[in-house]
Amino acid sequence: MSNTVVEAEPLKIAYSPCPNDTFVFDAWAHGRVPGAPALDVTFADIDITNGMAERGELDVLKVSYAVLPWVLEEYALLPCGGALGRGCGPLVLTREPGLDLAGRTVAVPSERSTAYLLFRLWAADVLPEGVGKVVVLPFHEIMPAVRDGRVDAGLVIHEARFTYQEYGLHCLADMGEHWESTTGLPIPLGAIIAKRSLGAERLRALAASARASVRMAWDDPQASRPYVRAHAQELDPAVADQHIGLYVNEFTADLGDSGYAAVRGLLTRAAAEGLVPAIAPGALTFP
């Protein structure tokens, strides 16, 4: 009888190359979290990981909260590792300050993104005539398209908050500011999900590993710098630090009551507007 120990297959995980994700997962991805399973990491922008989730392709994924109504039957929402916050919402940018968006063309990075849901909820409140047309463009093309007049406005996320003025653009509206002022809740942006078929015990172990990785990154921020910089090469280090400071916060370590309320609030409002399917009762409950 063989005494060979069979190593468990690494968990297949996908998250973005953005500084907040590489900061959060650095310790875990590099085997520094005691007892955590090994990771087989794929880097992909969130519109790609959203599609992966809908097709059930990987074990663990960073996705938009907006995609949850389509994937919660197969995936569970982890109570940590994601991105919520205050003062960190998507922006609507224009070339001219104060532009009336009624009937205009707006570029968005994805129609299955949280940014898009927040934009549609904002528009429902403040643009009774609605926008004229929504076009989907890759994230990095949106600000140049607005600057060059190919679209009237653009919905941007992440580090664009810190760089849009370099394109000569103006912030017409802050989707997060609108969300916070109308709900009092933090802004739900990106979620970590894992396959329910892994089982409750393993899901709890994954959540513990993610939480430990976040806390290790906070305890020794310098340790993650090489990983962050390797995957954000075009980003100024100071902007990367701002990005991390904005998107990695207490909700990354634990969603808590207000975090869960924010997620439920977003999906309930979006379902009422016909933007997403309604989620089943208890679908957000962690096993």
Side-chain angles (χ1 to χ4, degrees):
M1 182 173 174
S2 171
N3 292 322
T4 302
V5 175
V6 178
E7 292 288 334
E9 286 287 313
L11 276 173
K12 294 185 182 299
I13 185 171
Y15 48 82
S16 84
C18 292
N20 60 306
D21 285 347
T22 48
F23 179 83
V24 164
F25 286 100
D26 171 63
W28 189 359
H30 291 98
R32 300 199 307 273
V33 177
L39 297 179
D40 176 0
V41 179
T42 296
F43 288 100
D45 288 335
I46 204 157
D47 57 323
I48 302 296
T49 61
N50 285 346
M52 288 175 165
E54 290 188 68
R55 295 186 296 273
E57 288 182 1
L58 298 185
D59 302 313
V60 186
L61 291 155
K62 168 77 175 287
V63 297
S64 300
Y65 276 108
V67 86
L68 292 189
W70 286 275
V71 303
L72 281 173
E73 195 168 306
E74 187 167 1
Y75 287 91
L77 170 64
L78 265 61
C80 53
L84 290 88
R86 297 188 182 276
C88 61
L91 306 178
V92 174
L93 304 179
T94 57
R95 279 189 302 168
E96 307 161 32
L99 181 71
D100 182 357
L101 281 192
R104 304 280 189 168
T105 298
V106 182
V108 303
S110 168
E111 290 184 344
R112 285 278 174 94
S113 67
T114 312
Y116 181 69
L117 291 191
L118 291 169
F119 168 71
R120 288 290 301 269
L121 295 175
W122 169 80
D125 285 349
V126 305
L127 295 175
E129 297 175 37
V131 298
K133 184 180 179 185
V134 169
V135 297
V136 176
L137 289 179
F139 170 69
H140 65 276
E141 293 182 16
I142 291 178
M143 289 193 289
V146 180
R147 177 195 61 200
D148 299 342
R150 287 182 281 131
V151 294
D152 299 304
L155 180 69
V156 299
I157 55 175
H158 291 335
E159 63 271 9
R161 290 186 65 88
F162 313 118
T163 60
Y164 70 87
Q165 289 163 325
E166 296 170 15
Y167 291 79
L169 302 179
H170 299 270
C171 177
L172 182 73
D174 184 325
M175 305 297 93
E177 193 176 273
H178 178 76
W179 170 261
E180 290 186 73
S181 67
T182 55
T183 68
L185 296 168
I187 307 153
L189 298 167
I192 305 296
I193 59 173
K195 280 197 171 173
R196 295 184 186 275
S197 59
L198 293 169
E201 185 178 345
R202 202 161 181 211
L203 288 172
R204 288 193 289 270
L206 294 185
S209 298
R211 189 173 286 117
S213 192
V214 174
R215 296 200 183 283
M216 290 174 74
W218 280 332
D219 288 344
D220 184 6
Q222 292 301 319
S224 67
R225 283 286 168 84
Y227 195 47
V228 170
R229 288 178 179 167
H231 296 283
Q233 292 173 350
E234 296 178 15
L235 206 57
D236 181 277
V239 174
D241 287 346
Q242 285 179 288
H243 184 113
I244 291 165
L246 197 56
Y247 296 108
V248 185
N249 51 47
E250 71 271 20
F251 297 110
T252 313
D254 191 346
L255 278 175
D257 291 343
S258 59
Y260 276 107
V263 178
R264 282 193 300 271
L266 174 72
L267 299 182
T268 300
R269 283 182 166 211
E273 290 287 334
L275 301 173
V276 301
I279 62 171
L284 297 177
T285 303
F286 187 62

